[in-house]
Amino acid sequence: MSTGWRRRDFLTVFGGGMAGIALSPLPWKLLDDAAIWTQNWSWLPRLPRGEISTRYGRCTICPAGCGLRADIVNGQAFRLTGLPNDPIGGGTLCPLGIAGHHLRYHPARLRGPVEGGRIEEGGTGRDADARSLPLDEAIARLAGWINELQDVGASQTIAILDARPGRLLSEIYRRFSASLGAHYIPARTGGFSSDVLHAMGSAPLPTLGIDLAGIRTLLSFGAPVLDDWGAPSCANQFDRYAGSAGEGTTSSAALLIQVETRPSATAQRAGLWLRNAPGSECALALGLAHVIVHEGLYDRTGTAGQLLDGDGDARPSSGDPLNQGAAVGSSALCGYRELLAHYPPEQTAQLTGISSATIRDVARRFATAGPAVAIPGQDPGGGPLDPQAQQAIWNLNLLTGALDRRRGFVSRRALPLPQRLADAPGGAVTSLSHVPDGSLRMLIVDGALPDHALPWELLTRKLARHGARLVSLSPFRSGLARHAALRIPAPAPLEFWEEVPTPWDAPTATLAIAAPLAEPPRGALHPSALLERIAKLLGMPSPGGDADYLMLLRERAAAVFLTARGHVHRGRDGRRVPLDDYDSAEAFWQELAAGGCWIDDADKTVARLGPARRAFLDPSQPTSWDQGIASAPSAAGYPLTLMPFGPRSMAGEEALPPVMAKLYRESHLRSSPEDVHVHPETARRAGVEDGLPAWVETPAGKRRFQVQTDPAVHPAVIHIATGPAPASFGDLPQEEYPAVLELLSPNEKGVWRMTPARLRPVEC
Amino acid sequence: MKLASPDRPLIMRGVERTSLGRFLLWLVPWLALLAFGLYGAYLCLALGLNQTNLDNRFAFGLWIFLDLAVIALGAGAFFTGFLLYILRREELADLINSAVVVGFVCYSGAVVILMIDVGQPLRAWFTFWHPNVHSMLTEVTFCITCYLLVLFIEYIPIVLRNRRLRRIPAFLVFEFNLHKVMVVFAAVGTFLSFFHQGSLGGLYGVLQGRPFAFREGFAIWPTTFFLFILSAIAVGPAFLMLVTRLAEALTRKRLVHPRVYTLLGRISGWLLVSYVLLKSVDTLIWLNRTAPAVGFLGHDFYVHAAFGTWILFAEIVLFGLAPALMLLIPRVRQGRWAIVAALLACFGIALNRFVMTIQTLSLPSLPFDKLLLYWPSWQEMASFLAVIAYAVILFSLSYRYLPLYPRERELQADRDPDSVAPRAASRTTLAVGGAGAGTLPTSRR
Amino acid sequence: MSRHRGKLMFLGGLIAALAVGWLGLPIVLYETIDQPLQFSHATHTGDLLGMDCEACHTFDEAGRFCGVPGIALCATCHEEALGDSPAEQHLVEAFIHPNLEIPWLVYARQPDNVFFPHAAHTVLAEISCERCHGPHGHSDRLRPYQRNRISGYSRDIWGSNIAGIASAPWDGMKMGDCSRCHRQRGIVESCQDCHK
Amino acid sequence: MSRNTTHRVRYGMAIDIDRCTGCGACMVACAVENNVSVPPPPAGDRKGLTWIRVYRLHNERPYPESRTAYLPLLCQHCGHHTPCVSVCPQHATDIDPETGIVSQIPERCLGCRYCMAACPYHARYFTWWDPVWPAGMEEIFNPDVSPRMRGVVEKCNFCHGRRQVALQRAAAEGRRQIRDDEYRPACLEACPVGAIHFGNLDDPKQELYDLVHGERAFRLLERLGTEPKIYYLSSQPWVRRLLHNGIPASRRHPDGGRPDVAALRHQQVLARDPRAEERRRS
């Protein structure tokens, strides 16, 4: 073209081009692809693809050990559900268990040993301030520290705190500490404190269980019977056997009487809720006993009758296990009668804030509408009841003959030990309160998620003022691990072979095995293996009898198999199979490893509780009984009582699966540890407002909380959940949530249910 | 003689404009606001709507409320077009151009805000691809998009009438041809606008699950459909009056003939009266029949202190009946109080949109729920302020460089005969009249 | 010449654009990736071995189609090389001995939000594999995988023809293709039938 | 269009408020099952993602009259005038004619949230944040539920993924229908007290049928006419009074005794049981 390109030419070509493009698939195809692109953002996670299989196992996040079914994709569990008819879980899991497989991805999860960064040294307890170190080095470090103390003959300044006593691992801890000369301290389990039981009986008690099947009245002093997510608590048993008797529902014959200051879910749903004045459980129990004794409603044919009717002059037959105690009993019995004389219903009503008519009614109902059982509170956040209150509650059971019978407190046989451990049993058990203050220079804290909250002050009291070292075996860097100088993470729940020993309240022995559902991270080490290696380094005998943990578990299963008692709840279908039907220990083990649960036959031997039956005859410290009110150590200027609370296995500062945020942050279903619950009137008087921040001050310190008013809260009390707050899926939040545990000052008996406190508005 | 601004060649011949420096100075704060708002909008787009204080309960907030309000106020554009082109009220040719620009900034601003408001703006066009014809929002989307296109087309000839652009013959031809079909666009625009104003009302009126907003209606349209149309066309002229008055005040010039205001006031007044009447009837039916039928007693909606009956009174009487009556009284209409009346009316329509959007969502629908309140985040407010800034900037630019008020020169000449030669005035008027907003018989000499 | 100049210009633009749209687009839009291993379906399903599709492409106990089998299944026969083909050699050395899964590029892979129950189609509706997958099961070699650079999908989803005009029943696996067949068979449709 | 539907069902639920302990297992099970993300801490309960949310009901009285109950609230799968489905501009939400399940297709959703404004139950949730998961966690996603992106609405779909899997299993066994026990939503499966019942509302053979036709059953905001398919069961008078048909919070205690309230309440009784008037007269 000689003339060259003109503007018109460009336009023409462009026009043709446009027409051509319009006639080609280009615009539509690009539009379609762009549409698809906007529907598949590249940052969306991709779903796993692969074969899906099913495995049965046990949840080991809390000591309950509910049976679970895991749906697996590419070798990883993606869904956990309960096993039908499971004797523990009853067919479902709690929220923690449902999301248990997420714990592996918790932002506070440790993937290997870490040292330093602890709070005492100005650190934050987070990995950022800490130094990770190879596993071998961490083990050598720990062995070195133990060796130092051994060398100066200070082995007794070492202690191991077992978060979940009763496991085979606990046996290993005991044997390890015995050969080292260190303390073995079990954490508290539910029900009556072992200290109390120990104090009441001259000889060691057999293991106690509660048989709730078919009972008609359950008198609970603050036990979370209906709202504890844990299966082994009374909750499931009571619910299953007796049916929930919530108000307004067509209740079954069973009645739950809840004595509790806090408007807990159990209190709100109980057939009868007695809201007692804070700390008046002991007085109430004595007041009820007063009515029962006064009106002669006690069990006249049983022990109480023998003792009370005989006025101490019981005619003991030679075969009666009480024989020995009767002589001592007579004087003490007078003491008990005298004690009760101080608690007529009118007097008790003043102390407890419950009307005398109600006290009479409840006492009569308890004594006559049997089988009836009274159980002590075990709020996992609030800690145990005062020992004397426990004793008074124990006595109620004694009065109505709820001991040593079906539908009451029973003794149960212990789980057999593997042969190699049975030959040389573990060493002594020390209660935390018996460890001298300021004596510990090294505390090794077991890695299991604790069942109950533990105020940090309770431990610091026991630690030496200078140079005390805390070693955490927790798989997480939260909780007590924040104070640890060295953290050697154990595998997280569902990552290792673990056993589910008998729950504290089970009427018979049980055993279940949790098979791992995922591989632990490379840097995690099971405590049994850790102790084994340290023992080797220190030249000590092997605490596990030269067997690894899995082998020990198999041997325990074999030992159970040898008893030839009981039956197995099969995991996959919930059927009951007699133990005799298994032809080998291996077949039995396979069944257990597939979610099975062995349940012992009931122990038909009676009267095994023997010496403990005399407990009420022997009020150990008569002077303090006069009070009947376990008041908070009074302090001027602190008009309110702070009562912490928490759900079991979720009390404390351990890890919750982030998805639990649905229950805390994204709804107000569960109390956040950032909230303080008060009566609207209390809030008004303190000058604080619903939904706004306020200071909670105790003699131990002060922290900021969000006020939540609730007309059901006792006006003299403020409640704060001890529990952990769920983390986010991302990093841990920069600010630590306000842990009420650091505001608590446990008394000399190790009780922290009540702390004097006051509420102050936050100045703008 | 004033110094010629450097941009003098762009400014219409024969009109007086402030110096470029002062003009830029005027723009600076608005540009700053725009930049700030764009940053807020960027945050919302890049980080997501978590930047807002909207939540699951307040799914709609400040943006939707202001969108509805702005679109109602922008109704002046189509309604003026309708009066001028269809009903032949030629006086309105005085401000049809400015009405188009006002409409354009209102609608385009609203659409931009909507694009920030939706969670997946890149998928917004799916409505055209997979429309659910039963949804009021589909109707709104279609109508607003199409009407924005119409406004854009109506805006083009105004832009092309810029002094500089007119020199390009092709543009002149294009503009001329465009103008011949402008009536069609005005008719289409009117139709579309009636529909989407109505659909915006229907948006809430159809919400069966929200007894506070739900209204019975005719055929598929709830009464709010018609009330929204009526209120929008009633207030559109009032808003135009306000904008023009404001422009006159800022430029210290007379831009339209005073009788235009009288006309606007009269239209607005009559429409407002009928709106208030119908709204009252509708409210009575709703309180006594519609709401109780679904289990809610009328005054249950007004038990919360934040939204007591005062809001009903304010909406209907204070900001409805009062301005309507004021505009109906000729003496008031022609005096200074007309501005107050227009302001009240505009505020009234905004309050109505606020009640329909925010109050509806605030009130609990579940029996155990509480009243919830919401306060917009700075990102939300900033994004909206950006739209205000954009509107001011676009209007200012249009005023400076485009013949927004075709009679400006003439009116100026009337007042100040020395400044502009009569010959020039008549020539440009002819030019404007020939290719401008309709034939202007009144301006021909 | 100059009389037709305009028309020619227009035609030139038109043809160029058509070429871009019809021929150029597929080249630019798709990237071609070779399969990690050459596999001959024909060898396995042919006369010599005569294996069924189901021999390797199985359903699990929940009725879920398992897709392309894992390396373990290959290893049941190919623990050591059976023949002397280089592909088999590669299979044994690169995947079976180190026990690595083969990163196959699946031609028919649907996005994550699609739930496609094979069983409903093959068992209940008795549709043959070929209806959707074509004669893939008799192919002698694996053609290269073509990935859409914008959407990230396999080219098979849209179909081999850039205009989306199906040349065979199995050409194209977009939602429209599913729906067309469903409509022909009178299946009532809801989003949730196929979307998860 | 001919409908080759072999099995038309109307899935629904009955939730026993008197049994619910407020443990929250349903909420967690739902989130795990449906790959629901956890928004970062600023989210709170107003920007959360709880396809099923347990609300605490309180009679607002001090001890000893204080009473608490828990109300699990999920998408009510309205069967008539479904408020959300009718307003969605682009069919991103849909009611399945075969099952009555109201679904949400996040890939189609543009995030306009009109459906949320329309829903009187606040059972629809917007993903305000990009879903964040720690590295590797997508390996344990439920493969049967696609994750959602930021900026869309999501909600309960009766664990529809489980139905698909059940149908798939049935298909593999040559069945076109699923048995009643093959498809159960995750919340039901997780409930430790069996408060949640699920099934076909139209099947008189199922336990659910008796429950929803029993004395204790009612629905939330029933008078809105949206025919929700979730029924609630309670015998507790205060719960029934509180929840029964949309008496707003201000009227929780009908102590005020305004005549119009009484009239409305009477109307509501009639609406539920037209023969109540007869019985009262006789």
Side-chain angles (χ1 to χ4, degrees), chain B residues 52 54 117 120 135 203 365, chain D residues 47 87 90 113-114 120 150:
Chain B
T52 67
L54 296 169
D117 195 10
Q120 291 281 344
S135 171
L203 218 54
S365 58
Chain D
K47 283 185 180 174
V87 301
Q90 47 196 36
R113 306 187 294 286
Y114 189 20
R150 177 234 284 173

Side-chain angles (χ1 to χ4, degrees), chain A residues 149 153-159 181-183 439-443:
Chain A
L149 293 173
S155 294
Q156 77 286 354
T157 65
I158 304 174
H183 296 291
S439 71
L440 293 183
R441 294 175 65 182
M442 180 174 197
L443 179 66

Side-chain angles (χ1 to χ4, degrees), chain A residues 56 58 67-69 81-87 89-92 569-575, chain D residues 184:
Chain A
Y56 299 91
R58 291 270 147 192
L68 61 80
R69 186 192 126 119
T81 42
L83 287 182
N85 303 327
D86 184 58
T92 54
H569 255 273
R570 265 207 323 228
R572 59 180 185 279
D573 55 8
R575 294 246 314 271
Chain D
R184 305 189 315 158

Side-chain angles (χ1 to χ4, degrees), chain C residues 12-31:
Chain C
L14 184 80
I15 289 169
L18 285 175
V20 166
W22 287 91
L23 306 174
L25 178 65
I27 297 167
V28 181
L29 189 60
Y30 295 108
E31 63 178 316

Side-chain angles (χ1 to χ4, degrees), chain B residues 223-344:
Chain B
T223 52
T224 46
F225 184 92
F226 308 99
L227 288 174
F228 264 52
I229 298 178
L230 194 54
S231 57
I233 60 175
V235 172
F239 184 63
L240 266 184
M241 182 156 62
L242 271 184
V243 170
T244 316
R245 286 282 194 194
L246 192 67
E248 286 188 341
L250 284 172
T251 59
R252 295 195 199 89
K253 268 189 290 227
R254 170 149 287 179
L255 297 172
V256 297
H257 197 278
R259 67 184 162 192
V260 174
Y261 291 122
T262 318
L263 178 66
L264 288 178
R266 204 170 65 227
I267 294 169
S268 203
W270 280 111
L271 287 171
L272 259 181
V273 163
S274 33
Y275 164 70
V276 167
L277 197 70
L278 289 175
K279 170 80 186 169
S280 309
V281 171
D282 175 65
T283 304
L284 287 175
I285 293 176
W286 163 64
L287 286 176
N288 291 300
R289 212 182 70 190
T290 317
V294 292
F296 287 82
L297 290 167
H299 59 270
D300 282 334
F301 301 126
Y302 296 100
V303 293
H304 306 281
F307 298 115
T309 38
W310 62 267
I311 205 163
L312 196 63
F313 172 81
E315 188 194 337
I316 297 182
V317 180
L318 191 59
F319 298 112
L321 194 60
L325 293 178
M326 284 166 80
L327 289 172
L328 281 186
I329 302 167
R331 258 190 42 207
V332 179
R333 181 163 70 215
Q334 282 151 12
R336 293 200 155 271
W337 282 93
I339 299 290
V340 178
L343 257 177
L344 287 179

Side-chain angles (χ1 to χ4, degrees), chain D residues 112-280:
Chain D
C112 72
R113 306 187 294 286
Y114 189 20
C115 53
M116 295 172 68
C119 176
Y121 303 100
H122 311 310
R124 299 183 142 261
Y125 298 87
F126 188 73
T127 35
W128 300 97
W129 276 268
D130 269 316
V132 174
W133 312 91
M137 203 171 128
E138 67 274 5
E139 289 165 23
I140 59 163
F141 272 14
N142 179 0
D144 299 319
V145 181
S146 62
R148 278 76 49 192
M149 61 289 289
R150 177 234 284 173
V152 298
V153 172
E154 54 183 81
K155 63 173 268 296
C156 158
N157 56 13
F158 275 162
C159 287
H160 193 267
R162 290 186 171 214
R163 178 166 180 270
Q164 286 173 325
V165 170
L167 277 169
Q168 175 176 258
R169 178 193 286 264
E173 292 168 11
R175 288 181 286 131
R176 284 187 182 275
Q177 297 177 11
I178 47 175
R179 290 188 299 267
D180 295 334
D181 61 338
E182 278 183 311
Y183 164 39
R184 305 189 315 158
C187 53
L188 179 153
E189 198 170 64
C191 181
V193 291
I196 305 178
H197 306 264
F198 177 78
N200 180 3
L201 292 171
D202 290 339
D203 183 359
K205 291 195 293 293
Q206 292 189 7
E207 187 200 2
L208 183 71
Y209 190 86
D210 296 333
L211 287 175
V212 304
H213 289 93
E215 289 265 298
R216 303 173 65 226
F218 60 91
R219 289 181 286 182
L220 289 182
L221 301 176
E222 200 163 356
R223 297 240 316 201
L224 293 181
T226 57
E227 295 290 324
K229 290 200 278 289
I230 312 289
Y231 288 76
Y232 289 94
L233 311 175
S234 179
S235 311
Q236 302 187 67
W238 74 269
V239 172
R240 295 180 64 93
R241 210 162 42 233
L242 173 67
L243 295 180
H244 197 245
N245 202 22
I247 298 170
S250 57
R251 291 299 159 77
R252 269 181 215 166
H253 314 298
D255 303 331
R258 294 198 191 94
D260 46 1
V261 178
L264 176 58
R265 295 205 58 241
H266 183 57
Q267 261 183 319
Q268 287 165 349
V269 170
L270 287 184
R272 257 180 55 71
D273 182 2
R275 273 170 301 178
E277 184 72 0
E278 286 170 34
R279 262 187 265 126
R280 203 169 64 97

Side-chain angles (χ1 to χ4, degrees), chain A residues 673-707:
Chain A
E674 294 166 15
D675 291 340
V676 54
H677 300 265
V678 293
H679 192 275
E681 183 59 24
T682 316
R684 196 190 58 76
R685 247 183 263 142
V688 299
E689 272 183 69
D690 189 25
L692 294 179
W695 290 109
V696 171
E697 299 176 1
T698 71
K702 69 171 190 175
R703 273 169 182 275
R704 243 168 104 122
F705 293 88
Q706 291 280 321
V707 176

